[in-house]
Amino acid sequence: MLRLAGARLLDDRDYPAVRAALAADPVGSCMVSARVEAAGLDPWRLGGELWAADARPVRAGRLTGLCFAGPNLIPLRGNASALRSFADRALRRQRTCSSLVGPAPQVLGLWDELSSEWGPAREVRGDQPLMALEGDPLVPADPQVRTVRPHELDRYLPAAVAMFIEEVGVDPRAGDGGASYRARVSELISTGRAFARFEDGEVVFKAEIGAMSARVGQIQGVWVHPDRRGGGLGTAGTAAVVNRLVHGLGRTASLYVNGFNAPALAAYRRIGFQQVGQYATVLF
């Protein structure tokens, strides 16, 4: 049986309804859309499971609840009843996800259901504006920002580690000595989704295109060397990545940012990003 405590594991019969649900919010669902477009709904290929709150396959109409359970738990839609069914299913197994992330109402509602068993969280970031830009950036792009080449991994990796520690609060090299994180960064470089400005062989700006669906690319890991902050490198560098997404790859550029990070918010607005939604993240 595929049903468990109300939440149902989706399969190929649900594919049209899933695609319709993801298409209804292409920016908000980018992380999940990218996986589904590449792998379909098979859990092994998808790298996780897609759950619905609906009791049976939906061949027409809309899914009332949708949640991805993989390296992150991502509830994309659902009312209180749907979120309870997702929590019930999640609590039947050991927690393996590193975070709970997605649209703020669903994330915070699901966390209310999970916190008594999974808490306390290391951090709850409840105010993360989700932003998007479909056209040209409003500021000049840095012409020295370019894709990172495979042989530059060892020069790029220290900046990626520094960014991760600053942003997430943990060292990504913990546990396996950094092998998994190095592999992930290497993959981003090999697929042309890591960008940097090098000066004297050192990274002074970096950013990546993380999830990328057919319509949207999500910018992540924006970082400026501490000695070079305040000089506009982050704004101009991010504009260069936007140009690559919009003009080179034909995607809408998106990102989400912590609401308390006023300088970053101001910089993204100067570039031309507009808020299109609200995300939240629970870090474990």
Side-chain angles (χ1 to χ4, degrees):
M1 294 293 290
L2 296 182
R3 296 178 200 163
L4 184 60
R8 181 173 60 85
L9 179 64
L10 294 170
D11 59 33
D12 288 340
R13 295 171 296 174
D14 303 290
Y15 189 77
V18 169
R19 289 301 305 271
L22 298 176
D25 182 11
V27 176
S29 66
C30 177
M31 288 185 285
V32 177
S33 294
R35 287 177 174 267
V36 170
E37 290 169 4
L41 302 188
D42 176 73
W44 187 84
R45 295 183 61 234
L46 189 63
E49 298 178 347
L50 269 177
W51 303 339
D54 308 79
R56 60 180 60 87
V58 181
R59 293 181 175 84
R62 63 193 297 270
L63 292 165
T64 58
L66 183 63
C67 182
F68 173 76
N72 304 300
L73 191 60
I74 308 174
L76 289 177
R77 61 167 58 188
N79 58 19
S81 176
L83 297 176
R84 280 193 296 273
S85 74
F86 297 149
D88 287 341
R89 187 171 186 117
L91 292 172
R92 299 269 181 149
R93 62 182 72 187
Q94 183 178 5
R95 179 183 65 78
T96 57
C97 60
S98 61
S99 70
L100 176 58
V101 61
Q106 281 68 42
V107 166
L108 299 177
L110 184 53
W111 181 235
D112 283 343
E113 299 288 340
L114 293 170
S115 58
S116 61
E117 298 291 332
W118 282 8
R122 184 164 56 83
E123 186 177 356
V124 177
R125 300 177 177 179
D127 175 20
Q128 296 181 308
L130 177 66
M131 312 183 83
L133 175 56
E134 296 182 353
D136 293 330
L138 303 180
V139 300
D142 186 345
Q144 295 189 53
V145 170
R146 58 169 175 80
T147 54
V148 181
R149 302 175 185 119
H151 72 272
E152 295 172 318
L153 172 61
D154 287 332
R155 285 194 284 167
Y156 182 81
L157 192 59
V161 170
M163 175 281 304
F164 195 97
I165 293 173
E166 286 185 30
E167 175 62 24
V168 182
V170 297
D171 192 327
R173 298 166 296 186
D176 64 357
S180 297
Y181 189 67
R182 180 185 179 90
R184 171 59 178 157
V185 173
S186 178
E187 178 190 13
L188 290 168
I189 291 174
S190 66
T191 55
R193 291 190 285 156
F195 301 82
R197 172 172 171 156
F198 291 89
E199 292 183 358
D200 298 324
E202 185 178 27
V203 174
V204 295
F205 165 85
K206 67 162 288 292
E208 296 138 8
I209 302 170
M212 188 165 67
S213 71
R215 298 174 62 184
V216 179
Q218 191 174 86
I219 298 172
Q220 65 178 32
V222 177
W223 180 87
V224 176
H225 192 287
D227 294 342
R228 299 296 305 276
R229 292 175 186 174
L233 280 180
T235 302
T238 304
V241 182
V242 169
N243 273 340
R244 174 61 179 158
L245 269 170
V246 173
H247 297 296
L249 298 171
R251 266 75 166 181
T252 295
S254 76
L255 52 81
Y256 61 100
V257 59
N258 293 314
F260 58 75
N261 192 343
L265 268 172
Y268 296 142
R269 287 171 177 149
R270 284 198 298 273
I271 293 168
F273 281 95
Q274 295 184 344
Q275 184 170 351
V276 296
Q278 188 78 9
Y279 257 31
T281 301
V282 178
L283 296 170
F284 300 119

